[in-house]
Amino acid sequence: MISVLPVPCADRATADASATAWALAARAGDPEAADHFVRALHGDVLRYVTHLSGDPQTAHDLTQDTFARAFSSLHRYEGRASARTWLLSIARRAVVDNLRRAAVRPRIADTTDWQTAAERNQPCGLPGFDEGVALLDLLQTLPEERREAFLLTQVVGLSYEEAAGFVGCPVGTVRSRVSRARVSLDRLLLDSETPSTEAG
């Protein structure tokens, strides 16, 4: 069974409040607050764009693009939504824009196995590394709406209510998508661990 440890609600609420306060202070011109804002949410944005784009090579560029967009529109941010929710909505647009640009660009070659090269450069000895790679692969097989709901709630750590507001659908829909994603992931993981019965 796949299990992702949830972030305690109290800790998440405190972290969100701090990030939002730093965003508002940065809007007022506090450079130290701007630095705290980036440090607090950089990991969430990086994980989110990596999963959405499915391309670890461009994830850091997309993360930088997200923060650049955020700072250029920071003067319009009023703190009505948490800074994390606001920033992830910007990240989502950055990924969509990048995918649109990639769709119209001519492809140079199909032979470069960038994924294998990236995986070889990862610290494979870390606890949970293999499970993390397996989860990343399995997530790519899910329908986009289920994958996003799962990522927002189980990886990024948004509440179901926050995720519903973020994607613009009822809370029950988010719960249903996450539940179906879990069932699909569990089934896929079991299938991947079942030895083949075909004759060699």
Side-chain angles (χ1 to χ4, degrees):
M1 299 287 285
I2 292 174
S3 61
V4 179
L5 293 177
V7 178
C9 290
D11 292 347
R12 184 174 62 233
T14 300
D16 279 353
S18 296
T20 299
W22 286 325
L24 292 170
R27 185 187 71 169
D30 183 342
E32 188 173 338
D35 183 60
H36 283 303
F37 168 66
V38 173
R39 289 176 184 272
L41 296 174
H42 187 275
D44 285 346
V45 173
L46 180 60
R47 282 192 297 274
Y48 186 56
V49 299
T50 299
H51 289 302
L52 275 191
S53 67
D55 185 355
Q57 278 192 323
T58 63
H60 288 283
D61 289 340
L62 286 169
T63 300
Q64 288 183 345
D65 183 27
T66 297
F67 280 102
R69 292 180 184 211
F71 280 108
S72 69
S73 61
L74 193 58
H75 62 283
R76 293 194 301 269
Y77 177 65
E78 297 179 352
R80 291 178 183 154
S82 73
R84 179 166 56 161
T85 300
W86 174 70
L87 193 59
L88 292 179
S89 69
I90 295 173
R92 187 185 196 189
R93 286 194 297 274
V95 171
V96 169
D97 289 346
N98 182 67
L99 291 174
R100 285 177 179 156
R101 286 193 300 270
V104 298
R105 268 199 309 261
R107 299 185 67 169
I108 297 173
D110 290 327
T111 56
T112 303
D113 189 358
W114 58 265
Q115 190 168 6
T116 299
E119 288 175 0
R120 284 180 182 159
N121 288 325
Q122 298 298 317
C124 300
L126 294 177
F129 175 82
D130 292 336
E131 293 85 351
V133 171
L135 179 59
L136 286 176
D137 290 342
L138 295 178
L139 280 170
Q140 296 307 314
T141 68
L142 295 178
E144 182 179 350
E145 290 178 341
R146 293 182 192 176
R147 181 172 69 244
E148 184 173 39
F150 183 88
L151 289 170
L152 287 171
T153 59
Q154 308 304 306
V155 178
V156 176
L158 295 184
S159 68
Y160 286 105
E161 291 76 13
E162 289 171 325
F166 180 76
V167 300
C169 70
V171 175
T173 301
V174 172
R175 291 185 186 280
S176 174
R177 289 174 182 174
V178 173
S179 176
R180 291 181 180 186
R182 282 185 175 278
V183 169
S184 297
L185 290 170
D186 286 338
R187 185 173 60 247
L188 289 167
L189 188 59
L190 285 174
D191 289 347
S192 71
E193 292 174 347
T194 303
S196 174
T197 56
E198 295 179 3

